[in-house]
Amino acid sequence: QVQLVESGGGLVQSGGSLRLSCAVSGAFLDYYAIGWFRQTPGKEREGVSCIGRSDNSTDYVDSVKGRFTISRDNAKNTVYLLMNSLEPEDTAVYYCAAQHIRAGRWCPTLPSLYDYWGQGTQVTVSS
């Protein structure tokens, strides 16, 4: 059973930074793409970033490019999302998700393409 646990959320002032962690258990992270998504009340879940089986395969939504960095540590079975220059618009519950990738280094960007999800961690950015 693949399980994901997010941590690192919290309250931060505008312009501040947070690093989210997604700890994966029940599987070898090497074979999975990981995505970070966020959701606010009344809105659909939005893709923020994803990373394929290789560190070279990453993708970001335009609104976070240059501010967020996704990375993975397969030895620790953990994926990180470093968020700099946070803005009030980044306030949301952040979720990580995992999808087994048989071949290739791509990462899915749609929530529907992920089979496993964490419970989420709240990020609140005050102005």
Side-chain angles (χ1 to χ4, degrees), residues 7-10 12 15-21 36 38 48 64 66-70 80-87 90-92 94 121-125:
S7 62
V12 65
S17 299
L18 285 173
R19 189 180 77 160
L20 304 183
S21 299
W36 282 100
R38 63 187 180 188
V48 176
V64 308
R67 300 189 296 123
F68 291 11
T69 303
I70 191 170
Y80 304 98
L81 184 68
L82 176 62
M83 306 186 295
N84 293 324
S85 302
L86 283 162
E87 304 167 351
D90 296 316
T91 295
Y94 283 71
T121 185
Q122 176 70 46
V123 172
T124 303
V125 184

Side-chain angles (χ1 to χ4, degrees), residues 39-45:
Q39 191 169 24
T40 55
K43 293 189 176 180
E44 291 188 356
R45 196 162 291 189

